[in-house]
């Protein structure tokens, strides 16, 4: 396997074809992935295996897409982190729609309406 910290190894495949299919599936889902031949052959069969590598931080999502079990030390939650634009949209709605509406009704009631 590679010692490159730019990738995390998440699975081994018996054939190059399986590894390529897994990489293609992950790339279609927006995950940076690649494969490489494993330097040490499989001890059980003595055959060459292929390692699937993904960008750090995407390992859990990649395992989920491929149907692999999660790693024990990974945090498994049902919630996804909101994208940055969702926070900006929330602030926009609060500042430009909700607050002026409340201010209008308060001023209307104070004016005797």
């Amino acid at each position: 396997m590679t010692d490159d910290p730019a990738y995390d190894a998440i699975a081994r495949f018996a054939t190059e074809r399986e590894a390529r299919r897994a990489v293609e599936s992950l790339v279609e889902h927006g995950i940076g992935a690649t494969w490489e031949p494993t330097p040490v052959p499989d001890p059980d069969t003595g055959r060459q295996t292929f390692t699937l590598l993904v960008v750090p931080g995407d390992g859990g999502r990649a395992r989920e897409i491929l149907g692999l079990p999660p790693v024990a030390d990974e945090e498994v939650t049902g919630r996804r982190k909101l994208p940055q634009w969702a926070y900006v949209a929330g602030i926009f709605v609060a500042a430009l729609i909700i607050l002026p509406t409340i201010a209008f009704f308060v001023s209307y009631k104070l004016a005797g309406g």
Side-chain angles (χ1 to χ4, degrees):
M1 280 189 287
T2 185
D3 293 329
D4 187 4
Y7 293 101
D8 289 337
I10 64 163
R12 279 188 175 182
F13 293 95
T15 65
E16 181 179 344
R17 186 176 183 180
E18 291 174 348
R20 284 182 192 262
R21 281 191 201 156
V23 168
E24 289 170 1
S25 176
L26 292 176
V27 170
E28 287 173 1
H29 284 89
I31 295 178
T34 188
W35 64 272
E36 69 177 18
T38 307
V40 179
D42 185 12
D44 296 332
T45 62
R47 297 182 65 194
Q48 178 71 46
T49 58
F50 301 89
T51 304
L52 177 64
L53 305 166
V54 297
V55 176
D58 284 343
R61 190 167 155 232
R63 284 184 185 88
E64 182 181 323
I65 291 169
L66 295 174
L68 301 173
V71 175
D73 63 344
E74 278 187 359
E75 182 180 331
V76 178
T77 61
R79 298 183 64 198
R80 290 185 181 225
K81 185 178 176 184
L82 289 175
Q84 187 67 29
W85 65 265
Y87 293 108
V88 174
I91 292 169
F92 176 81
V93 168
L96 297 179
I97 297 173
I98 296 173
L99 292 177
T101 303
I102 292 171
F104 168 76
F105 284 113
V106 168
S107 63
Y108 180 74
K109 286 295 183 183
L110 289 175

